Amino acid sequence: MTYQPAKPRHIVLTSHPSRFGRKPIAINWGAADPIDRGPIIATLTNSEQRNVIGTHSGSYAVYRALAVASGVLGAGHRADLTNTSPAESIGPHPSWSDPDKIVSLDPYGALVGEAFTTFFERGYDIRPTIAITKAHINMPELQEAIAKGRLHEDGVIMKAGGDLVVTKAAIEPVWFLPGIAKRLGVDEGELRYTLFEQTGGMFPELVTRPDLQVFLPPIGGITVYMVGDLSAITDPSKPLAVRVHDECNGSDVFGSDICTCRPYLVHGIEACVQTAQAGGAGIIIYFRKEGRALGEVTKFLVYNARKRQAGGDRADAYFARTECVAGVQDMRFQELMPDVMHWLGITRIDRFVSMSDMKHGAIVKSGIEIVERVPIPDELIPADARVEIEAKKPQATTPRTRFPMR
């Protein structure tokens, strides 16, 4: 097959607002009324409507481009949102109108159909960035917990056979750049330039459109699994358990024993079920930040380096080997993590299933009370993961190294 070059077309690299033409809808981040706040409009079908940098779908946006390029998806396809509204209602909560509480997601992302009806009627192409549905999950470890009497099938939360009833939400990242910069303690202009530079110039509007303050980055989002009475999430008189879990494909899905990720995830789910069955609620917050946001390739390279070093895999060299490969120990930026809790309206966590000081510190600093921290039981730690556990003990309060933005 002979390669045929694509037909030339006019491509606009930046979309500056016309001096005399239509101006995009302004976004007033933190406004209590969604109409005053304004909708997130990342349409590719009408560039005049766009009021953000980037586009929907996060890390899947490139696959959408492949689908359009190959002809299986029409470039002008507009989503039919009939019957896609949330299966459960969440919010609005007071934290939604506090511009310092939520900076990395759109709190109105699941409510675009209800909140921005007038914009739809005027022809604006607005897409949800949050979807909320209901489902069942079933894991072998939960069945084992039932068999050993730690959990019980109540027919409502935990059904026969270990089927766990959950409400789940999928959340795409939506970054309010002034708020992100403030949260991280950096200059917004420096943040914009570095995002532009470190993505190879992928988003020129970061540096050419200071009037656009919202960015939809091409990264993975968040999945939230909620167990029990959802009203208990915001009721301080009812117990709430929370596990914040960062993605680990090798352990979470395939059961790799070099870390404690799946055992801790399952332990968190069990704590959530127990708390829900005691009249409260439980929440698993799952971030797509593989390998401490360093990526799986980097993680596997570090595994090799740890196993092959003199003296074998050692706790005292655990983080040093990561820095040798990645240049930094951790890039998860837990400072942004509590935003999803504020979207849920959480003000107090009775059982926080984690011993991470970085996670704990970020949550408490954001104004959420943590009553108890729940460690992973010793018997759930795989033998090969002992190095990780020992390494994290002296590292728990070590601050992340800061380097110049560029």
Side-chain angles (χ1 to χ4, degrees):
M1 180 176 178
T2 304
Y3 168 72
Q4 297 292 330
K7 294 180 180 179
R9 65 175 73 177
H10 176 66
I11 299 175
V12 179
L13 293 179
T14 56
S15 53
H16 296 280
S18 170
R19 191 176 205 178
F20 304 104
R22 193 173 181 179
K23 298 289 180 66
I25 299 297
I27 297 174
N28 302 302
W29 198 269
D33 186 294
I35 296 298
D36 293 338
R37 203 296 300 271
I40 300 295
I41 307 176
T43 175
L44 298 175
T45 58
N46 188 339
S47 61
E48 288 188 342
Q49 293 181 2
R50 290 175 55 80
N51 62 0
V52 302
I53 303 164
T55 184
H56 291 300
S57 301
S59 58
Y60 296 100
V62 175
Y63 285 105
R64 184 180 60 223
L66 290 181
V68 172
S70 64
V72 299
L73 174 65
H77 172 73
R78 184 161 176 167
D80 179 355
L81 299 176
T82 304
N83 293 328
T84 63
S85 59
E88 290 282 355
S89 178
I90 293 178
H93 299 295
S95 51
W96 290 22
S97 58
D98 185 337
D100 291 328
K101 292 291 187 187
I102 300 176
V103 299
S104 62
L105 59 88
D106 175 14
Y108 295 100
L111 304 177
V112 296
E114 300 93 321
F116 303 115
T117 303
T118 58
F119 288 96
F120 279 105
E121 292 171 348
R122 289 154 56 191
Y124 282 92
D125 185 3
I126 306 169
R127 315 251 175 133
T129 57
I130 300 175
I132 304 170
T133 190
K134 297 184 77 69
H136 293 80
I137 62 173
N138 199 316
M139 303 172 73
E141 293 92 336
L142 296 181
Q143 296 176 22
E144 181 183 347
I146 293 171
K148 292 184 176 180
R150 296 195 304 271
L151 299 178
H152 65 277
E153 297 170 343
D154 56 42
V156 178
I157 294 171
M158 183 75 77
K159 295 190 174 181
D163 278 348
L164 178 61
V165 179
V166 299
T167 299
K168 59 181 182 179
I171 304 173
E172 291 181 4
V174 178
W175 288 3
F176 177 57
L177 291 173
I180 295 282
K182 182 178 179 181
R183 187 79 62 84
L184 301 182
V186 300
D187 176 76
E188 182 190 343
E190 191 75 6
L191 174 65
R192 284 173 171 266
Y193 184 86
T194 306
L195 286 170
F196 168 74
E197 185 179 55
Q198 294 300 315
T199 57
M202 187 185 299
F203 301 98
E205 289 174 323
L206 284 166
V207 293
T208 64
R209 292 292 303 273
D211 60 306
L212 299 182
Q213 296 184 315
V214 175
F215 175 44
L216 276 55
I219 59 174
I222 309 166
T223 309
V224 182
Y225 290 84
M226 292 160 274
V227 183
D229 180 8
L230 296 193
S231 67
I233 294 173
T234 56
D235 186 346
S237 69
K238 295 182 179 180
L240 178 65
V242 174
R243 165 68 184 167
V244 176
H245 193 89
D246 295 309
E247 180 181 29
C248 178
N249 181 66
S251 179
D252 296 343
V253 179
F254 295 101
S256 171
D257 65 352
I258 197 171
C259 62
T260 59
C261 294
R262 182 179 173 97
Y264 225 146
L265 175 61
V266 174
H267 178 54
I269 294 174
E270 190 172 324
C272 287
V273 176
Q274 291 169 343
T275 306
Q277 291 182 330
I283 301 173
I284 301 293
I285 303 174
Y286 195 92
F287 282 87
R288 293 316 191 287
K289 295 180 180 179
E290 178 67 62
R292 299 196 203 103
L294 302 171
E296 200 165 35
V297 169
T298 295
K299 181 164 74 171
F300 286 9
L301 294 174
V302 172
Y303 285 168
N304 289 344
R306 284 170 48 192
K307 297 288 187 179
R308 292 169 178 167
Q309 66 188 334
D313 197 6
R314 310 189 317 273
D316 64 321
Y318 179 88
F319 287 101
R321 296 310 299 146
T322 302
E323 284 198 67
C324 287
V325 177
V328 66
Q329 294 178 8
D330 192 310
M331 294 197 306
R332 285 174 291 182
F333 286 91
Q334 302 292 4
E335 296 95 325
L336 304 177
M337 173 266 294
D339 288 24
V340 64
M341 298 186 189
H342 291 295
W343 172 67
L344 291 166
I346 294 173
T347 57
R348 190 184 78 186
I349 299 170
D350 295 276
R351 303 179 71 196
F352 182 54
V353 191
S354 172
M355 293 307 289
S356 166
D357 282 357
M358 287 194 296
K359 292 177 181 178
H360 177 274
I363 293 168
V364 172
K365 186 177 180 180
S366 79
I368 297 173
E369 178 189 1
I370 293 178
V371 177
E372 177 190 5
R373 300 170 71 176
V374 181
I376 185 171
D378 193 66
E379 63 269 18
L380 295 183
I381 301 172
D384 205 28
R386 293 287 174 181
V387 170
E388 175 200 46
I389 290 294
E390 291 303 313
K392 288 182 176 179
K393 288 180 180 177
Q395 288 283 336
T397 57
T398 301
R400 183 179 63 250
T401 304
R402 285 210 180 267
F403 297 96
M405 290 293 287
R406 73 170 191 268

